[in-house]
Amino acid sequence: MSTATSSAISVMRHHRSIRKFTEQALTDDQRSAILASAQAAPSSSFLQASTVIRISSAELREQVMALCGNQAYVGSAAEFWVFCADFHRHLQWVPEAKTGFAEQLLIGAIDTALMGQNALTAAESLGLGGVFIGAVRNQPHALSDLLQLPKGVIPLFGLCMGHPAQDPEPKPRLPANLVLCENHYPAKFDEAHMQAYDEQVRHYYRTRTGGKKEMSWTGQIGDTLAKEARPFMLEFLQQQGFCIR
Ligand SMILES: Cc1cc2nc3c(=O)[nH]c(=O)nc-3n(C[C@H](O)[C@H](O)[C@H](O)COP(=O)(O)O)c2cc1C
């Protein structure tokens, strides 16, 4: 385990998703700093293919929460921002632009994810907390109608932010030697490291839930990957003008 540190490294290494918030609002200044940090993220070919929609209307927030599997924190967080990949803006200024390439979906998704993570790290560095919400993709047609997203724009994830009302332990990550490979992909990952990690995750959940949840990492990914992954997504992406070539 490295001992090299800095204030940025300390914030990133202490990350844990926060799902309970106080009612305290963010200041305009905090919001501006978070957005400026998000926008400072690198951008592929400087396309800046992202738009953020801040859901400030209480009524709209309720509707968005319903579309996100009614996850309570989508409603209760001081801030809820929807991060979208956006090529609509480019088409406004350059109508002859060639869009719809699968590669551009990756560009939009990568640019937007980098922005989102910068936003969360900035929030955490200010003593705030947050959690990403992939459930904005549960009903993408309905959400896009609600947020009036034009063709060329897709919602990728939401971000709840606010003052934490809980203080969970950081979740243990895969051991570094299962994630970082030297020069080539290994023929097989080390079984013993995997089993040790499974036990670490089981212990994490046991402790965090007071013994109610007992789940290894391989058990968890087995459950998740046994389900279809939003099989309607390709049709939605193509309707929005993505991934048609
Ligand atoms: C793109 C993305 C989407 C996510 N969607 C949800 C979500 O809809 N609801 C939720 O409670 N957590 C969501 N999470 C949070 C993950 O569950 C969480 O990051 C993961 O379990 C690791 O825990 P940690 O963030 O506390 O380290 C999402 C995370 C990411 C990166």
Side-chain angles (χ1 to χ4, degrees):
M1 172 88 63
S2 164
T3 53
T5 195
S6 68
S7 52
I9 288 173
S10 169
V11 168
M12 288 186 272
R13 290 188 62 173
H14 285 94
H15 159 77
R16 67 274 193 277
S17 291
I18 294 296
R19 297 180 175 84
K20 289 198 176 112
F21 300 96
T22 70
E23 286 181 7
Q24 191 178 346
L26 270 62
T27 63
D28 290 349
D29 206 30
Q30 287 172 323
R31 273 206 314 269
S32 304
I34 291 168
L35 183 63
S37 306
Q39 287 197 267
S43 166
S44 183
S45 303
F46 201 34
L47 281 171
Q48 304 188 74
S50 312
T51 291
V52 180
I53 302 190
R54 175 177 179 241
I55 312 295
S56 53
S57 148
E59 192 191 337
L60 189 60
R61 183 83 79 92
E62 284 287 311
Q63 293 169 303
V64 171
M65 184 176 85
L67 293 177
C68 291
N70 270 315
Q71 298 186 68
Y73 28 97
V74 173
S76 61
E79 293 289 322
F80 187 68
W81 296 7
V82 179
F83 284 77
C84 303
D86 183 358
F87 280 90
H88 179 78
R89 193 167 36 227
H90 306 86
L91 286 165
Q92 271 186 7
W93 282 304
V94 189
E96 67 280 13
K98 292 190 174 68
T99 59
F101 290 98
E103 166 65 8
Q104 291 164 331
L105 172 66
L106 298 180
I107 289 174
I110 294 168
D111 270 21
T112 309
L114 295 176
M115 273 184 82
Q117 180 57 29
N118 264 20
L120 179 57
T121 303
E124 290 173 341
S125 76
L126 295 171
L128 304 166
V131 61
F132 287 115
I133 301 296
V136 299
R137 302 191 306 276
N138 282 0
Q139 299 182 61
H141 294 96
L143 187 74
S144 300
D145 287 349
L146 202 57
L147 305 186
Q148 298 167 19
L149 304 184
K151 201 167 171 178
V153 181
I154 46 169
L156 292 177
F157 53 87
L159 177 58
C160 298
M161 289 180 287
H163 291 266
Q166 62 177 170
D167 187 16
E169 283 293 306
K171 235 183 214 180
R173 294 307 202 246
L174 282 165
N177 53 13
L178 290 184
V179 173
L180 179 67
C181 310
E182 208 70 37
N183 298 319
H184 60 262
Y185 200 86
K188 197 168 182 331
F189 282 106
D190 188 305
E191 196 75 27
H193 284 129
M194 204 57 248
Q195 283 170 9
Y197 180 61
D198 263 350
E199 187 44 47
Q200 202 187 351
V201 171
R202 248 189 239 108
H203 179 264
Y204 164 84
Y205 281 124
R206 223 183 281 132
T207 313
R208 181 167 170 175
T209 63
K212 283 198 211 106
K213 182 168 169 176
E214 173 95 17
M215 178 66 103
S216 67
W217 187 70
T218 49
Q220 189 171 332
I221 59 168
D223 286 355
T224 302
L225 298 176
K227 299 176 207 143
E228 290 194 315
R230 299 188 177 113
F232 45 79
M233 195 51 71
L234 182 60
E235 181 272 319
F236 170 71
L237 291 173
Q238 291 179 338
Q239 179 203 287
Q240 291 300 93
F242 285 80
C243 253
I244 50 178
R245 48 186 166 171

